[in-house]
Amino acid sequence: MAVLAFFLAHWYLSLFTQTFFQHRYAAHKMFTMHPAWERFFFVFTFLMQGSSFMSPRSYALLHRMHHAYSDTDNDPHSPHNSNNAFTMMWKTRNIYQEVLQHRSEGAKRFEDNLYPEWVALENFSHRWYARVAWGVGYISFYIVFATAWWQYLLLPIHFMMGAVHGAIVNWSGHKYGYQNFDNRDKSRNSLFFDFLTGGELFQNNHHKLPLRANFGVKWWEFDPTYPVIWTLDKVGIICLKRRVVATAGA
């Protein structure tokens, strides 16, 4: 039970920080927050993502490229430009490294300095010894708490948690499911109730309404991250900038 609880906690907390901080805040600026809260969520994101932590700046620029070039040859991670999810994510990884190291000419168009940056923490998080330390931590937990050999099969997912989430969202969200809107791309809503990826698989809705904090549009589409955002807005931790409304099927 301890291993399963640890795995689920890592899955959903890593997922939450990705969709809340890196995607909806860094990439799209759907809400604002005090600089102190920004630093808090920066550290929280690093701790929850662990060995697969992604620079919010690099994530934001990569994601803005994805929206601008959705499913075209310039899309960093369209499933329609790759033979499988592994080659798609390897391509994404290479472009991410170029953006991280300020070597991407394509990303310069999307620079605006509105994304959160913490150079010291980002540099530390990408050092080999930081990645190894996270790996040692995961392995140590399993050595202490694992009760069956098959539980160790979950370890590779811990090491690459962010990449696993990205592969599911980027592959499924542009390949399987239904469309509420004609976005002139191949984005899809893959799930009616997206508990697996925190609302991220409402890709068709999101590409139509990229500034809308609630990724669900129809009454039965539930985005589990939005109630958290709504609560944080109500208690004053964040401030929603825009409330975008649209009729599904428009």
Side-chain angles (χ1 to χ4, degrees), residues 135-168:
V136 170
Y138 301 146
I139 293 170
S140 299
F141 184 93
Y142 273 67
I143 290 174
V144 173
F145 293 104
T147 57
W149 67 267
W150 59 264
Q151 294 174 354
Y152 285 90
L153 298 178
L154 297 173
L155 269 173
I157 300 178
H158 287 286
F159 301 150
M160 303 180 293
M161 188 66 77
V164 172
H165 291 154
I168 293 172

Side-chain angles (χ1 to χ4, degrees), residues 93-109:
R93 180 259 179 199
N94 291 336
I95 297 175
Y96 171 83
Q97 288 296 323
E98 292 178 354
V99 175
L100 181 69
Q101 298 166 23
H102 299 268
R103 294 188 292 106
S104 172
E105 291 297 322
K108 290 182 179 179
R109 167 188 167 188

Side-chain angles (χ1 to χ4, degrees), residues 66-72 173-174 178-189 202-210 217 246 249-250:
H66 167 64
H67 273 267
Y69 307 122
S70 183
D71 293 315
T72 69
H174 283 252
Y178 64 96
Q179 292 181 311
N180 287 330
F181 305 101
D182 179 6
N183 297 328
R184 297 183 180 180
D185 65 6
K186 298 179 181 179
S187 58
R188 298 286 190 272
N189 299 321
F202 291 127
Q203 283 286 299
N204 180 252
N205 295 346
H206 175 55
H207 275 256
K208 174 66 176 181
L209 304 163
V217 172

Side-chain angles (χ1 to χ4, degrees), residues 4 7 12 14 22 34-35 37 52 73 75 109 113 158 160 186 203 227 232 236-237 247:
L4 180 59
F7 178 81
Y12 283 107
S14 175
Q22 292 164 323
H34 189 276
W37 279 114
S52 64
D73 292 341
D75 190 333
R109 167 188 167 188
N113 298 319
H158 287 286
M160 303 180 293
K186 298 179 181 179
Q203 283 286 299
L232 293 176
I237 293 177
T247 301

Side-chain angles (χ1 to χ4, degrees), residues 218-240:
K218 291 187 176 181
W219 67 267
W220 39 264
E221 293 174 340
F222 179 65
D223 171 5
T225 301
Y226 181 68
V228 180
I229 292 174
W230 183 89
T231 302
L232 293 176
D233 177 60
K234 292 302 180 184
V235 300
I237 293 177
I238 66 172
C239 179
L240 283 166

